[in-house]
Amino acid sequence: MRIGFFSAKPYDIVHFNRTNKQFNVDIEYFDYRLCMQNVKLAEGYEVVCAFVNDSLCEEVLVELAKGGTKIIAMRCAGFNNVDLIAAERLGMQVVNVPAYSPESVAEHSVALMLTLNRKIHKAYQRTRDANFALSGLVGFNMFGKTVGVIGTGKIGVATIKILLGFGCKVIAYDPYPNQAVIDLGIEYVDLDTLYPQCDIITLHCPLTKDNHHLLNQMTFNKMKPGVMVINTSRGGLLNAFDAMEALKDGHIGSLGLDVYENEKGLFFEDKSSEIIQDDVFRRLSACHNVIFTGHQAFLTDEALNAIASTTLTNVTKLMLGQVCGNELF
Ligand code: NAD
């Protein structure tokens, strides 16, 4: 079995090579993002291993099928970039890694909250410049604040557990309430009830056709003035232009983004010597009360090991004609 591994980064290669000692699979790493322009590279690989910004639209899938690809192994939880209907029609199998380390993303979400709240990013810059003035660094106690968690699956639950440790009041929205969350004493409310009550709102739901731009000008207006908004889920859940306007008029007090709706071609790459053409991104990233991280919430040693191990188990089982349990249809 040969795996064509796209969007490969040094940390992927280290963790997959280490884990592959138990599997002994032939992996060819490509540092390119899979797209129509380079899909020919995948010719002859029965398995294509892809990540969040690889393009697996119908056009690309058709070319992959022509080249002999039978399995699309997503090495991530989200699969909004895969046309599952086209894949099924083409007779391909698609698998993902539904749970590798929900704590990695939950802890990063809370890191964004604490950084924005206690202005750690500003303090870091100031103290390096021997400026120990505290003006402009006033934060708030997390204790007693109300946090709205939208999406209460694996990452939502892990986030709730951390927030309860701070003494936050947590309320939640999910179309499919989770008994584990109810058992933690959390109340489920509808979004219109959640928005005005929360000091912090954090997104932990997948991006689907129905919730694109879930957070937009209309929903920002329903929130408490000065609210902190955190998105470590998928960029398309939040209208970045509307967020910029809401930051300008002070309706959003701070914004922490690990994902961005136009992150494809930007995140995971070194763009430090280029002029970023995306004006919304440039304006947002110039705000002192906005923090971007480049889709790194998953990036812990534990998560990378789990991703490698589940991905290689998935493809090995499928190649043997067995069920791996992570098939997407
Ligand atoms: P999960 O499947 O365990 O939970 C998702 C929850 O969202 C489910 O309970 C589901 O009912 C709920 N949901 C679905 N549609 C919703 C909606 N419209 N509104 C509110 N809730 C809704 O998934 P998970 O493992 O907790 O991951 C959540 C998301 O986090 C993934 O879909 C992915 O997009 C994102 N993620 C990001 C990173 C990162 O590095 N930034 C890493 C992993 C996952």
Side-chain angles (χ1 to χ4, degrees):
M1 171 190 12
R2 294 173 75 219
I3 303 183
F5 191 110
F6 284 82
S7 299
K9 300 294 172 201
Y11 46 83
D12 292 314
I13 297 171
V14 167
H15 287 82
F16 269 82
N17 280 350
R18 195 189 293 155
T19 307
N20 195 25
K21 289 190 179 125
Q22 301 152 40
F23 292 86
N24 227 358
V25 171
D26 183 2
I27 308 177
E28 184 83 33
Y29 296 102
F30 301 108
D31 61 358
Y32 319 99
R33 194 163 51 79
L34 177 63
C35 60
M36 199 52 199
Q37 284 72 36
N38 62 23
V39 66
K40 287 272 178 239
L41 281 174
E43 209 170 285
Y45 290 92
E46 295 115 303
V47 182
V48 160
C49 182
F51 198 51
V52 295
N53 287 331
D54 288 307
S55 178
L56 293 139
C57 60
E58 182 172 11
E59 221 183 355
V60 170
L61 291 171
V62 167
E63 290 306 310
L64 289 177
K66 277 187 208 158
T69 299
K70 295 185 173 57
I71 298 171
I72 305 294
M74 299 303 294
R75 55 180 191 280
C76 50
F79 46 86
N80 50 289
N81 51 332
V82 188
D83 185 334
L84 293 182
I85 296 167
E88 191 171 14
R89 185 174 43 76
L90 291 161
M92 289 170 157
Q93 287 180 291
V94 185
V95 287
N96 72 338
V97 184
Y100 42 88
S101 170
E103 289 76 19
S104 65
V105 183
E107 289 170 15
H108 191 82
S109 308
V110 177
L112 288 173
M113 289 177 203
L114 294 180
T115 305
L116 285 165
N117 170 17
R118 304 306 295 268
K119 325 276 192 282
I120 305 296
H121 53 307
K122 291 173 84 173
Y124 172 77
Q125 296 291 356
R126 282 192 197 180
T127 53
R128 284 169 73 87
D129 200 26
N131 173 359
F132 305 108
L134 299 183
S135 307
L137 301 186
V138 179
F140 56 78
N141 285 3
M142 293 290 281
F143 182 84
K145 291 295 178 295
T146 301
V147 185
V149 175
I150 299 180
T152 56
K154 292 172 284 298
I155 295 170
V157 171
T159 306
I160 290 170
K161 286 183 179 165
I162 300 172
L163 293 170
L164 291 177
F166 282 120
C168 294
K169 177 185 174 193
V170 177
I171 55 176
Y173 168 76
D174 193 308
Y176 305 99
N178 178 347
Q179 189 57 42
V181 171
I182 296 167
D183 292 345
L184 288 168
I186 308 303
E187 186 192 357
Y188 277 101
V189 295
D190 60 33
L191 286 172
D192 280 344
T193 308
L194 183 145
Y195 291 138
Q197 287 190 42
C198 294
D199 302 289
I200 302 174
I201 292 176
T202 183
L203 295 177
H204 299 293
C205 55
L207 174 64
T208 65
K209 282 196 185 85
D210 303 327
N211 65 11
H212 182 250
H213 285 177
L214 176 74
L215 299 191
N216 56 49
Q217 188 193 6
M218 205 172 69
T219 50
F220 291 136
N221 283 337
K222 293 178 182 172
M223 295 177 191
K224 208 188 230 189
V227 64
M228 177 190 291
V229 175
I230 303 292
N231 186 10
T232 59
S233 277
R234 282 293 178 269
L237 291 167
L238 180 144
N239 184 321
F241 181 85
D242 289 359
M244 190 178 70
E245 294 297 312
L247 279 156
K248 266 164 57 185
D249 68 22
H251 208 96
I252 295 181
S254 53
L255 180 65
L257 299 178
D258 185 53
V259 287
Y260 173 58
E261 57 182 327
N262 298 318
E263 70 178 54
K264 202 183 262 191
L266 196 61
F267 285 8
F268 306 114
E269 308 300 332
D270 180 0
K271 300 276 175 190
S272 56
S273 329
E274 294 178 30
I275 304 292
I276 305 281
Q277 299 297 321
D278 182 334
D279 288 340
V280 174
F281 180 83
R282 277 156 47 109
R283 286 174 69 185
L284 282 174
S285 55
C287 295
H288 68 86
N289 50 352
V290 175
I291 294 183
F292 273 107
T293 51
H295 210 136
Q296 74 170 78
F298 72 100
L299 199 67
T300 66
D301 212 29
E302 291 82 355
L304 289 167
N305 284 336
I307 287 170
S309 167
T310 305
T311 303
L312 293 176
T313 304
N314 282 347
V315 294
T316 309
K317 284 197 168 174
L318 292 190
M319 289 306 280
L320 291 171
Q322 298 170 0
V323 172
C324 72
N326 294 325
E327 294 85 353
L328 292 175
F329 48 80

